Amino acid sequence: MNSRRTFLGSLLSGTLGLLTGKSASARAEGTPSSPALPVCHEADICVLGGSATGVFAAVRAARLGARVAIVERANGFGGVAVNSLVNVWHPLFDTQFERKIIGGLTEETVARLQKRNAVDIYDKNRSVWAGFNSSELKIELDELVVESKIRPFLHTLFSEPYYESGNLTGVIVDGKSGRRIIKARVFIDATGDGDLCVRMGFGSRLPAHPQPPTMCAHLDGFDLTRCNNLLAEHAKEYNIPQGFLWGLDIPGTHSFMFAGTRVYNAACAEADDLTAAEIEGRRQVRAVMDMYRRYADNAGTARFGLTALPSALGIRESRHIDCLYRVTDDDALYGKRLPDAIANCSYTFDLHHDTETGHAITFRSLDGVEERYGAPGAPPEIGRWRPETAENPTFYQIPFRSIVPKGSRNVLLAGRMFDAEETAFSGMRVMVNMNQLGEAAGVGAYLALDKDISVDQIDAADVRKTLAAGGSVII
């Protein structure tokens, strides 16, 4: 597998060199690329990737006065929350529900959705705070972008960085109008896979054991408990991998968001693996449905059926970019206070294992409890990952340093490619936490612009102060 990927990487690098007339290394060193292409827009800050994370980065920067452009390859904003149908945002409170630790645009957006009965709030539930209608969120993010006077580029794919005099001054994008250049002074990579950072030559790594992706689906007439029991008996018959079933009702509808598939051995930052994973995920959805139709008691009478598939696989993990600081497992598991913290988290550490090793998922809580799940329908194995203590941390933090790529002058990142060790990442990766990274990147980009400094010179204290002034919870 590794040799195949090395070969594919070499082939891709050579092909890009032929297409541009320049090698990847030359481009990384700052050689001007495709100077004949038209410049279609100039901004202060350009955000690549229109997930909620990317949108929140753009909105925070725009509200501070920056001229912002945002580039998204899909037909709308929302990323995993919309395109992958994952309609859950986790709690904004500490593990004891005594202290609010998350605010900002996550809280504001949910309040906006409540006006249209497009969200359900779950009180004191460690797994979910808000269950939302993904389609309504898609429209709400449109409104946030338009209200903030952000220049949107939809159906637009980031292709490569654009350099002038050795400096990154733009990005080359592909869309219906052909190849064009968007110029800016500061850039935020919110692509999920660190595409800008990697193509600029910044250090990155693929995890040894990436968490497998999931293909979600919207189903009518579906009972999750019944399906869980059926999988315990019939999963092998339908070639359904061991996993962990979960899901949530979709507000304002009679449909259920089902998330029970998992695609093993998928390196989703690579095109061939991503293609295969998308197809395998859909096969698994159909396999679950076929099993349910055949064996569920209500399948013959209830209006059971598939009402929607996502436009993108739900990717948990792909690349990580080497940043000024790598969040350690101990930082997270023991709730270490970090002086440059820009995000607070309380979600349980949620390790989806990358192979069928007898356990599909392991949950680790800040109180030291560990739960290991194997086959659907089977009870978990409960133990401890550390001895019991009199007091336990109730939240953990992500520092600003973990979104500043090493060697970067005018690029910040926001999203799942931030720098963290395996267990720390497993809890930090969820959307309410990535939303906070987006807001911090937007504020950081504005401060770099306003003070005319490189991103590695940004004072985290200024970021924290500005975030707090904009409604974020800073501890």
Side-chain angles (χ1 to χ4, degrees):
M1 179 68 76
N2 288 336
S3 61
R4 179 177 71 84
R5 290 175 181 158
T6 300
F7 168 74
L8 285 172
S10 300
L11 180 63
L12 179 60
S13 176
T15 303
L16 284 173
L18 290 172
L19 289 173
T20 63
K22 305 181 186 301
S23 68
S25 61
R27 288 185 293 110
E29 290 169 2
T31 304
S33 42
S34 305
L37 293 177
V39 175
C40 64
H41 188 68
E42 295 191 35
D44 296 322
I45 296 168
C46 180
V47 180
L48 299 179
S51 64
T53 299
V55 170
F56 289 179
V59 170
R60 286 302 291 259
R63 287 181 177 179
L64 290 168
R67 296 175 301 133
V68 184
I70 186 166
V71 177
E72 169 54 42
R73 63 185 178 181
N75 76 334
F77 302 111
V80 169
V82 169
N83 300 324
S84 304
L85 304 183
V86 182
N87 69 327
V88 173
W89 280 350
H90 296 294
L92 307 188
F93 300 87
D94 68 5
T95 57
Q96 302 302 309
F97 299 99
E98 294 175 351
R99 182 178 192 177
K100 190 172 77 169
I101 61 171
I102 301 172
L105 284 167
T106 297
E107 189 174 35
E108 178 183 326
T109 301
V110 167
R112 293 167 68 115
L113 290 172
Q114 285 178 309
K115 295 177 182 178
R116 290 178 167 82
N117 297 318
V119 64
D120 293 329
I121 302 299
Y122 294 76
D123 186 43
K124 295 187 176 181
N125 183 320
R126 287 196 180 187
S127 297
V128 55
W129 168 63
F132 50 82
N133 184 312
S134 294
S135 295
E136 292 276 11
L137 175 63
K138 187 174 187 177
I139 301 171
E140 202 63 53
L141 293 175
D142 282 345
E143 293 198 357
L144 269 172
V145 167
V146 172
E147 289 171 8
S148 302
K149 296 181 172 55
I150 295 163
R151 173 65 159 90
F153 289 86
L154 297 177
H155 295 289
T156 303
L157 180 68
F158 161 69
S159 180
E160 60 179 299
Y162 177 81
Y163 299 94
E164 293 176 303
S165 302
N167 299 313
L168 176 72
T169 59
V171 289
I172 298 174
V173 297
D174 288 275
K176 287 292 185 181
S177 299
R179 304 199 89 196
R180 303 184 292 175
I181 299 170
I182 300 171
K183 285 192 171 184
R185 289 175 57 191
V186 185
F187 298 83
I188 297 173
D189 186 339
T191 61
D193 298 319
D195 291 339
L196 173 61
C197 291
V198 168
R199 291 170 198 181
M200 289 184 67
F202 294 143
S204 67
R205 70 186 191 282
L206 293 171
H209 303 285
Q211 297 197 58
T214 286
M215 178 70 66
C216 298
H218 287 177
L219 302 174
D220 278 3
F222 178 75
D223 185 306
L224 184 66
T225 301
R226 180 68 175 133
C227 186
N228 214 16
N229 293 334
L230 290 174
L231 280 173
E233 298 180 49
H234 304 291
K236 289 185 179 180
E237 178 183 351
Y238 287 87
N239 190 24
I240 300 169
Q242 66 181 17
F244 181 84
L245 300 193
W246 64 279
L248 206 66
D249 291 329
I250 303 169
T253 77
H254 297 290
S255 292
F256 183 83
M257 191 285 289
F258 167 73
T261 66
R262 62 183 49 230
V263 182
Y264 289 109
N265 302 312
C268 291
E270 299 190 12
D272 291 347
D273 277 28
L274 181 57
T275 297
E278 294 275 11
I279 293 172
E280 168 60 15
R282 288 191 285 270
R283 183 204 69 79
Q284 289 184 27
V285 170
R286 171 162 281 186
V288 170
M289 292 183 64
D290 287 347
M291 177 201 69
Y292 196 84
R293 285 191 186 100
R294 180 176 179 183
Y295 292 110
D297 296 337
N298 68 338
T301 56
R303 293 181 62 85
F304 170 69
L306 176 67
T307 59
L309 278 173
S311 58
L313 188 70
I315 299 172
R316 292 184 173 88
E317 184 174 23
S318 56
R319 295 191 189 103
H320 292 280
I321 304 302
D322 296 335
C323 292
L324 298 182
Y325 184 75
R326 182 168 300 168
V327 188
T328 69
D329 291 343
D330 282 354
D331 286 342
L333 287 166
Y334 292 94
K336 182 179 178 182
R337 293 290 183 87
L338 303 170
D340 59 335
I342 40 81
N344 306 306
C345 323
S346 63
Y347 181 60
T348 302
F349 302 99
D350 175 354
L351 291 97
H352 292 253
H353 302 296
D354 65 330
T355 56
E356 295 191 72
T357 57
H359 291 96
I361 184 170
T362 298
F363 291 107
R364 290 178 183 157
S365 302
L366 288 172
D367 61 6
V369 174
E370 178 175 282
E371 300 175 66
R372 296 171 66 88
Y373 288 83
E381 297 177 13
I382 300 177
R384 299 194 63 84
W385 63 265
R386 65 161 171 80
E388 191 170 357
T389 56
E391 294 185 8
N392 300 299
T394 60
F395 66 95
Y396 50 99
Q397 298 183 309
I398 305 176
F400 183 71
R401 291 166 291 167
S402 68
I403 66 170
V404 183
K406 287 182 178 178
S408 174
R409 287 179 292 184
N410 64 340
V411 177
L412 292 169
L413 61 84
R416 65 174 182 259
M417 64 285 197
F418 77 103
D419 206 350
E421 293 182 349
E422 181 180 28
T423 301
F425 175 78
S426 72
M428 294 173 172
R429 63 176 173 78
V430 299
M431 287 184 279
V432 290
N433 300 333
M434 296 303 95
N435 291 350
Q436 295 176 86
L437 294 196
E439 294 187 64
V443 167
Y446 171 79
L447 291 173
L449 180 78
D450 184 57
K451 297 177 181 296
D452 194 23
I453 56 176
S454 63
V455 294
D456 60 354
Q457 296 176 315
I458 298 169
D459 187 340
D462 289 341
V463 177
R464 285 164 53 87
K465 180 180 178 180
T466 308
L467 283 169
S472 298
V473 178
I474 297 299
I475 301 173

